[in-house]
Amino acid sequence: MIFPIDKGRQRGYNNNVNGAKWCVVEQKCIETEQNRRSLPPKGDIIKSERGDAAAMKWFLGEYRQVMDAKNRIFIPAKLREQLGDVVYVTRNVDFCLSVYSEEGWEAYCAKLSALPSSEGSELLRFVFSSALDARLDSQGRIILTPVLRDYAELKKDIYVIGVGDHVEIWDKDKRDADKTEAKEADLISFMRKHNF
């Protein structure tokens, strides 16, 4: 079933992928007599006729930003729309910072909580001891704590990048060093090997 979408208030998708019709509902679809009883709640993923999840929200893109003197980082509008007003920031094992939406943070915490206590205790301390729940200000910025800033070695120039289910904040020099031609060639080889 395809739902009519109010383009002014809602960013949804109507498509036909390999014969399967789908619609991601992020806000309210237009309610008509024909579809009133079948409208899904906000955020639901409509299953295709084959029964598999047809779509998922993904954070995409790489944005070069500047951290100001008050440790504020501007989150690009495209990412802000998906993250919402409250975000969760924590350390990442790659010496950058991970930023989650409320929904993403709950899923991440559920994975952490599922670990056996013998393996998970240190990881829980690593993640939660420095984690920050932050409300975006009116200009779309978050203020980082000194602990988070120092962990990721953030200076003035940074990258904010979409990484699928979350966003990462990187120091520009570290991110540039991480994007080597050799590493890119390895990734391309990996993708070919696994038919991506």
Side-chain angles (χ1 to χ4, degrees), residues 142-155:
I142 57 173
I143 300 174
L144 295 178
T145 62
V147 171
L148 290 171
R149 186 194 66 230
D150 293 345
Y151 174 79
E153 299 176 358
L154 298 178
K155 298 172 199 74

Side-chain angles (χ1 to χ4, degrees), residues 141-188:
R141 299 172 300 191
I142 57 173
I143 300 174
L144 295 178
T145 62
V147 171
L148 290 171
R149 186 194 66 230
D150 293 345
Y151 174 79
E153 299 176 358
L154 298 178
K155 298 172 199 74
K156 186 177 179 179
D157 295 318
I158 61 166
Y159 282 111
V160 178
I161 62 174
V163 192
D165 65 344
H166 67 284
V167 171
E168 291 179 349
I169 299 172
W170 283 80
D171 175 72
K172 180 192 175 301
D173 294 337
K174 283 172 64 176
R175 177 75 179 139
D176 288 343
D178 190 55
K179 297 189 298 186
T180 64
E181 286 184 29
K183 187 171 187 176
E184 193 172 290
D186 289 344
L187 290 171
I188 290 169

Side-chain angles (χ1 to χ4, degrees), residues 111-124:
K111 282 173 51 177
L112 290 172
S113 298
L115 293 171
S117 62
S118 60
E119 297 174 358
S121 296
E122 284 298 316
L123 183 57
L124 291 173

Side-chain angles (χ1 to χ4, degrees), residues 88-100 105 108 112 122-132 144-153 166-169:
Y88 295 84
V89 185
T90 191
R91 295 183 284 191
N92 183 302
V93 295
D94 291 327
F95 296 97
C96 64
L97 302 177
S98 292
V99 182
Y100 293 92
W105 181 249
Y108 182 65
L112 290 172
E122 284 298 316
L123 183 57
L124 291 173
R125 285 186 204 100
F126 176 79
V127 170
F128 293 122
S129 66
S130 64
L132 166 70
L144 295 178
T145 62
V147 171
L148 290 171
R149 186 194 66 230
D150 293 345
Y151 174 79
E153 299 176 358
H166 67 284
V167 171
E168 291 179 349
I169 299 172

